[in-house]
Amino acid sequence: LKYAILILLAVFLVFEAAAAVDSAKAGFAGFNLSALPSDESAVLVALATSFVRIWYVYFIVIAVAVPLGIVIALNERLYNSLVPVIEVIASVPAPILLPALVPATMIAGTYAGELTAAIVIFTGMIWYVLFNVMAGIRTLPAELFELRASLRVSTLQAWRNIYLPAIATAFVTGSITAVGAAWNTLIVAEFFVGNGTVPITQVGSGIGKVIVIATTQNDLSTLALAVLSMTALVVAFNLTVWRRVYHFVTKRYAYNR
């Protein structure tokens, strides 16, 4: 926790320095202390919007990947036939999907950009969770399945007492990687121009959109603020939340302990 606080403090100081430099570009006479927080607030609002966007998509990913991964991993024939196909689909980069995806999402009207962003983030996250869930089930000893059959454990009981606890460690590992990958997809998901000058898709607000626009306009101070704020949030969240969750599940649910 102390490291996370130090990181956030350091980034705040960088915010102030970068905003001061940006405000002083017009000369000392035009320097205005009241204008310093303006860039910071815009970046932080965009960061908060992207944070919410990633997490609501993450919960959709869980609802799809967890049951799907368990079902595939439990069926040997299904696993052998689908895994190669899933691996090929997972290797397709998100930008390739946009030309076909954008016209399809136009039915959402004013929410088309948000829907497109959600789908791109979804495709960037789901594979990490899905493959880790399947790996968690596949590592279960065969004796456990024999014991379930001999004790006549119902399907509901097996899911609650065997399968879900079995995937806990792998699920958290996949979640950490998936959320990290989602931050990478924001640059494409939230604002994508392509070959022309008109954006193919864009959202109302988001840190990925801020980064792309700042890069295009050569706005180095805003770009630095955006990148540093996103980095600070990801590192602080990993240190304060994910590390504790991972230690908890490895101590409670790992079969090899």
Side-chain angles (χ1 to χ4, degrees):
L1 181 59
K2 62 180 180 180
Y3 296 113
I5 295 174
L6 288 175
I7 291 170
L8 292 175
L9 178 60
V11 171
F12 174 76
L13 294 176
V14 173
F15 277 176
E16 294 300 323
V21 171
D22 189 53
S23 298
K25 285 179 180 178
F28 183 79
F31 187 77
N32 184 6
L33 288 176
S34 63
L36 289 181
S38 59
D39 287 344
E40 299 170 32
S41 60
V43 168
L44 292 177
V45 168
L47 182 62
T49 305
S50 293
F51 184 83
V52 173
R53 183 173 292 120
I54 285 174
W55 279 93
Y56 85 71
V57 175
Y58 169 73
F59 287 116
I60 298 175
V61 167
I62 293 175
V64 176
V66 171
L68 182 62
I70 293 176
V71 169
I72 293 175
L74 289 174
N75 189 313
E76 188 70 26
R77 183 177 297 177
L78 196 63
Y79 180 84
N80 292 332
S81 59
L82 287 184
V83 167
V85 177
I86 295 174
E87 289 176 344
V88 172
I89 297 174
S91 66
V92 177
I96 295 179
L97 302 175
L98 286 175
L101 184 61
V102 171
T105 57
M106 292 302 291
I107 58 173
T110 57
Y111 298 101
E114 185 65 39
L115 179 59
T116 302
I119 295 174
V120 172
I121 296 170
F122 180 89
T123 58
M125 296 178 75
I126 187 171
W127 314 118
Y128 298 99
V129 178
L130 181 62
F131 283 115
N132 275 276
V133 167
M134 290 191 294
I137 295 295
R138 300 288 292 183
T139 55
L140 286 174
E143 293 79 9
L144 197 60
F145 296 98
E146 296 173 1
L147 184 63
R148 179 207 163 182
S150 62
L151 295 178
R152 297 181 180 179
V153 177
S154 67
T155 301
L156 181 61
Q157 290 176 326
W159 276 71
R160 185 178 60 189
N161 299 320
I162 301 176
Y163 304 147
L164 292 178
I167 67 169
T169 303
F171 168 73
V172 171
T173 302
S175 295
I176 295 172
T177 312
V179 173
W183 287 105
N184 292 331
T185 64
L186 291 180
I187 295 176
V188 174
E190 294 183 341
F191 192 88
F192 189 76
V193 176
N195 295 327
T197 58
V198 179
I200 296 176
T201 181
Q202 64 174 317
V203 295
S205 177
I207 197 68
K209 180 178 180 180
V210 170
I211 291 174
V212 175
I213 294 176
T215 302
T216 304
Q217 297 178 350
N218 200 28
D219 186 354
L220 298 182
S221 61
T222 302
L223 178 61
L225 291 176
V227 173
L228 286 172
S229 63
M230 184 174 67
T231 303
L233 177 61
V234 172
V235 173
F237 194 88
N238 287 345
L239 291 174
T240 56
V241 178
W242 280 131
R243 184 159 66 175
R244 294 184 180 184
V245 172
Y246 183 78
H247 287 329
F248 173 78
V249 297
T250 52
K251 289 179 181 179
R252 181 164 183 176
Y253 296 110
Y255 278 93
N256 58 351
R257 289 181 178 269

